[in-house]
Coordinates of all heavy atoms in Angstrom, one line a residue:
T41 N 80.6 -19.0 196.1 CA 80.2 -18.0 195.0 C 78.7 -17.7 195.2 O 77.9 -18.6 195.3 CB 80.4 -18.6 193.6 OG1 81.8 -19.0 193.5 CG2 80.0 -17.6 192.6
V42 N 78.4 -16.4 195.2 CA 77.0 -16.0 195.5 C 76.5 -15.1 194.4 O 77.3 -14.6 193.5 CB 77.0 -15.2 196.9 CG1 77.4 -16.1 198.0 CG2 77.8 -14.0 196.8
G43 N 75.2 -14.8 194.4 CA 74.6 -14.0 193.4 C 73.2 -14.4 193.2 O 72.7 -15.4 193.8
E44 N 72.5 -13.6 192.4 CA 71.1 -13.9 192.1 C 71.0 -14.6 190.8 O 71.8 -14.4 189.9 CB 70.3 -12.6 191.9 CG 69.9 -11.8 193.2 CD 68.9 -10.8 193.0 OE1 68.4 -10.6 191.9 OE2 68.5 -10.1 194.0
P45 N 70.0 -15.5 190.7 CA 69.7 -16.1 189.4 C 69.1 -15.1 188.5 O 68.8 -14.0 188.9 CB 68.7 -17.3 189.7 CG 68.1 -16.8 191.0 CD 69.1 -16.1 191.8
D46 N 69.0 -15.4 187.2 CA 68.5 -14.5 186.2 C 67.0 -14.0 186.5 O 66.7 -12.9 186.2 CB 68.5 -15.1 184.8 CG 70.0 -15.3 184.3 OD1 70.9 -14.6 184.9 OD2 70.2 -16.1 183.5
D47 N 66.2 -14.9 187.1 CA 64.8 -14.6 187.3 C 64.4 -14.8 188.7 O 64.4 -15.9 189.3 CB 63.9 -15.6 186.4 CG 62.5 -15.2 186.4 OD1 62.0 -14.3 187.1 OD2 61.7 -15.8 185.6
V48 N 64.2 -13.7 189.4 CA 63.9 -13.7 190.8 C 62.5 -13.1 191.0 O 62.2 -12.0 190.5 CB 64.9 -12.9 191.7 CG1 64.4 -12.9 193.2 CG2 66.3 -13.5 191.6
R49 N 61.6 -13.8 191.7 CA 60.2 -13.3 192.0 C 60.0 -13.2 193.5 O 60.5 -14.0 194.2 CB 59.2 -14.2 191.3 CG 59.6 -14.4 189.8 CD 58.6 -15.2 189.0 NE 59.1 -15.5 187.7 CZ 58.4 -16.1 186.8 NH1 57.2 -16.6 187.0 NH2 58.9 -16.3 185.5
E50 N 59.2 -12.2 193.9 CA 59.1 -11.9 195.3 C 57.8 -12.5 195.9 O 56.7 -12.4 195.2 CB 59.2 -10.4 195.5 CG 60.6 -9.9 195.2 CD 60.8 -8.5 195.5 OE1 59.8 -7.8 195.8 OE2 62.0 -8.0 195.5
L51 N 57.9 -13.1 197.1 CA 56.8 -13.7 197.8 C 56.1 -12.6 198.6 O 56.7 -11.7 199.2 CB 57.3 -14.8 198.6 CG 57.9 -16.0 197.9 CD1 58.7 -16.9 198.9 CD2 56.9 -16.8 197.1
T52 N 54.8 -12.8 198.8 CA 54.0 -12.0 199.7 C 53.2 -12.8 200.7 O 52.8 -14.0 200.4 CB 53.0 -11.1 198.9 OG1 52.1 -11.9 198.1 CG2 53.8 -10.1 198.1
D53 N 52.9 -12.3 201.9 CA 52.2 -13.0 202.9 C 50.8 -13.4 202.4 O 50.1 -12.5 201.8 CB 52.1 -12.2 204.1 CG 51.4 -12.9 205.3 OD1 51.7 -14.1 205.5 OD2 50.5 -12.3 206.0
G54 N 50.4 -14.6 202.5 CA 49.1 -15.1 202.2 C 48.9 -15.4 200.7 O 47.8 -15.9 200.3
A55 N 50.0 -15.3 199.9 CA 49.9 -15.6 198.5 C 49.6 -17.1 198.3 O 50.1 -17.9 199.0 CB 51.2 -15.2 197.8
L56 N 48.9 -17.4 197.3 CA 48.7 -18.8 196.9 C 49.4 -19.0 195.6 O 49.1 -18.5 194.5 CB 47.2 -19.1 196.7 CG 46.8 -20.5 196.2 CD1 47.3 -21.6 197.2 CD2 45.4 -20.7 195.8
L57 N 50.4 -19.9 195.7 CA 51.2 -20.2 194.5 C 50.7 -21.5 193.9 O 50.5 -22.5 194.6 CB 52.7 -20.5 194.9 CG 53.4 -19.3 195.5 CD1 54.9 -19.7 195.8 CD2 53.4 -18.1 194.7
E58 N 50.3 -21.5 192.6 CA 49.9 -22.6 191.9 C 51.0 -23.0 190.9 O 51.1 -22.4 189.8 CB 48.5 -22.4 191.2 CG 47.5 -22.1 192.2 CD 46.1 -22.1 191.6 OE1 45.7 -23.0 190.9 OE2 45.3 -21.1 191.9
L59 N 51.8 -23.9 191.3 CA 53.0 -24.3 190.5 C 53.1 -25.9 190.5 O 52.8 -26.5 191.5 CB 54.3 -23.8 191.2 CG 54.4 -22.3 191.4 CD1 55.5 -22.0 192.3 CD2 54.7 -21.6 190.0
A60 N 53.4 -26.4 189.3 CA 53.6 -27.8 189.1 C 52.4 -28.6 189.6 O 52.6 -29.8 190.1 CB 54.9 -28.2 189.9
G61 N 51.2 -28.1 189.4 CA 50.1 -28.8 189.8 C 49.8 -28.9 191.3 O 49.0 -29.6 191.8
L62 N 50.6 -28.0 192.0 CA 50.5 -27.9 193.5 C 49.9 -26.6 193.9 O 50.0 -25.6 193.2 CB 51.9 -28.1 194.1 CG 52.7 -29.3 193.8 CD1 54.1 -29.1 194.2 CD2 52.1 -30.5 194.5
K63 N 49.3 -26.6 195.0 CA 48.8 -25.3 195.6 C 49.6 -25.1 196.9 O 49.5 -25.9 197.9 CB 47.3 -25.3 195.9 CG 46.5 -25.4 194.6 CD 45.0 -25.3 194.9 CE 44.2 -25.3 193.6 NZ 42.7 -25.2 193.8
L64 N 50.3 -24.0 197.0 CA 51.2 -23.7 198.2 C 50.8 -22.4 198.7 O 51.0 -21.4 198.0 CB 52.6 -23.8 197.8 CG 53.1 -25.2 197.3 CD1 54.2 -25.0 196.2 CD2 53.7 -26.0 198.4
T65 N 50.4 -22.3 200.0 CA 50.1 -21.0 200.6 C 51.4 -20.5 201.3 O 52.1 -21.2 202.0 CB 49.0 -21.1 201.6 OG1 47.8 -21.6 200.9 CG2 48.7 -19.8 202.3
V66 N 51.7 -19.2 201.0 CA 52.9 -18.6 201.6 C 52.5 -17.9 202.9 O 51.5 -17.1 202.9 CB 53.5 -17.6 200.6 CG1 54.7 -16.9 201.2 CG2 53.8 -18.2 199.3
D67 N 53.2 -18.1 204.0 CA 53.0 -17.3 205.2 C 54.3 -16.7 205.6 O 55.3 -17.3 205.8 CB 52.5 -18.3 206.4 CG 51.1 -18.7 206.2 OD1 50.2 -17.9 206.1 OD2 50.8 -19.9 206.1
H68 N 54.3 -15.3 205.7 CA 55.4 -14.6 206.2 C 55.6 -14.9 207.7 O 54.6 -14.8 208.4 CB 55.2 -13.1 206.0 CG 56.3 -12.3 206.3 ND1 56.2 -11.0 206.7 CD2 57.7 -12.5 206.3 CE1 57.4 -10.4 207.0 NE2 58.3 -11.4 206.7
A69 N 56.8 -15.3 208.1 CA 57.0 -15.8 209.4 C 58.4 -15.2 209.9 O 59.3 -16.0 210.2 CB 57.1 -17.3 209.4
P70 N 58.4 -13.9 210.1 CA 59.7 -13.3 210.6 C 60.1 -13.8 212.0 O 59.3 -14.2 212.8 CB 59.4 -11.8 210.5 CG 57.9 -11.7 210.7 CD 57.4 -12.9 210.0
G71 N 61.4 -13.6 212.2 CA 61.9 -14.0 213.5 C 63.3 -14.6 213.4 O 64.3 -14.1 214.0
H72 N 63.4 -15.7 212.6 CA 64.8 -16.2 212.2 C 65.5 -15.2 211.3 O 66.7 -14.9 211.5 CB 64.6 -17.5 211.6 CG 65.9 -18.2 211.2 ND1 66.9 -18.5 212.1 CD2 66.3 -18.6 209.9 CE1 67.9 -19.1 211.4 NE2 67.6 -19.1 210.1
T73 N 64.8 -14.7 210.3 CA 65.2 -13.6 209.5 C 63.9 -12.7 209.3 O 62.8 -13.2 209.5 CB 65.7 -14.0 208.1 OG1 64.7 -14.6 207.4 CG2 66.9 -15.0 208.2
K74 N 64.1 -11.5 208.8 CA 63.0 -10.6 208.6 C 62.1 -11.2 207.4 O 60.9 -10.9 207.4 CB 63.5 -9.2 208.2 CG 64.1 -8.5 209.4 CD 64.5 -7.1 209.1 CE 65.0 -6.3 210.3 NZ 65.4 -4.9 209.9
G75 N 62.7 -11.9 206.5 CA 61.9 -12.3 205.3 C 61.6 -13.8 205.3 O 61.3 -14.4 204.3
S76 N 61.7 -14.5 206.5 CA 61.4 -15.9 206.5 C 59.9 -16.2 206.2 O 59.0 -15.4 206.5 CB 61.7 -16.5 207.9 OG 63.0 -16.5 208.2
V77 N 59.7 -17.2 205.4 CA 58.4 -17.6 205.1 C 58.2 -19.2 205.2 O 59.3 -19.9 205.3 CB 58.0 -17.3 203.6 CG1 58.1 -15.8 203.3 CG2 58.9 -18.1 202.6
T78 N 57.0 -19.6 205.3 CA 56.7 -21.0 205.2 C 55.8 -21.3 204.0 O 55.2 -20.4 203.5 CB 56.0 -21.6 206.5 OG1 54.7 -21.0 206.6 CG2 56.8 -21.3 207.7
F79 N 55.8 -22.5 203.5 CA 54.9 -23.0 202.5 C 54.1 -24.1 203.0 O 54.7 -25.1 203.5 CB 55.8 -23.4 201.2 CG 56.7 -22.4 200.7 CD1 58.1 -22.5 201.0 CD2 56.3 -21.3 199.9 CE1 59.0 -21.5 200.5 CE2 57.1 -20.4 199.4 CZ 58.5 -20.5 199.7
R80 N 52.8 -24.1 202.8 CA 51.9 -25.2 203.2 C 51.0 -25.6 202.1 O 50.5 -24.8 201.3 CB 51.2 -24.8 204.5 CG 50.3 -23.5 204.4 CD 49.7 -23.2 205.8 NE 49.2 -21.8 205.8 CZ 47.9 -21.5 205.4 NH1 47.1 -22.5 205.1 NH2 47.5 -20.3 205.5
T81 N 50.8 -26.9 202.1 CA 49.9 -27.5 201.2 C 48.6 -27.9 201.9 O 48.6 -28.1 203.1 CB 50.4 -28.8 200.6 OG1 50.5 -29.8 201.6 CG2 51.8 -28.5 200.0
P82 N 47.4 -27.9 201.2 CA 46.2 -28.3 201.8 C 46.1 -29.8 202.0 O 46.8 -30.5 201.3 CB 45.1 -27.8 200.8 CG 45.8 -27.8 199.5 CD 47.3 -27.5 199.8
A83 N 45.2 -30.2 202.8 CA 44.9 -31.6 203.0 C 44.2 -32.1 201.7 O 43.5 -31.4 201.0 CB 44.0 -31.9 204.2
A84 N 44.5 -33.3 201.3 CA 43.9 -34.0 200.2 C 43.4 -35.4 200.7 O 43.7 -35.8 201.8 CB 44.8 -34.1 199.0
Q85 N 42.7 -36.1 199.8 CA 42.2 -37.4 200.2 C 43.3 -38.3 200.6 O 44.2 -38.6 199.8 CB 41.4 -38.0 199.0 CG 40.7 -39.3 199.4 CD 39.9 -39.8 198.2 OE1 39.9 -39.3 197.1 NE2 39.1 -40.9 198.5

């Protein structure tokens, strides 16, 4: 069974998501699909 959830938000290349006390940088990484992305966290102590 497929479909969208009620609340869908769109990612952009280079965006910094600050969620749940985390900082996640979005990198658009096409190739596997056109809209593939990665999420990376910064180094911490």
Side-chain angles (χ1 to χ4, degrees):
T41 301
V42 298
E44 285 194 358
D46 292 337
D47 188 353
V48 178
R49 306 181 188 184
E50 295 187 345
L51 299 165
T52 58
D53 184 43
L56 177 63
L57 302 179
E58 297 192 46
L59 299 166
L62 304 165
K63 293 184 178 180
L64 297 148
T65 299
V66 180
D67 288 301
H68 186 208
H72 179 61
T73 67
K74 290 183 178 180
S76 289
V77 301
T78 64
F79 303 101
R80 55 185 167 90
T81 68
Q85 185 175 6

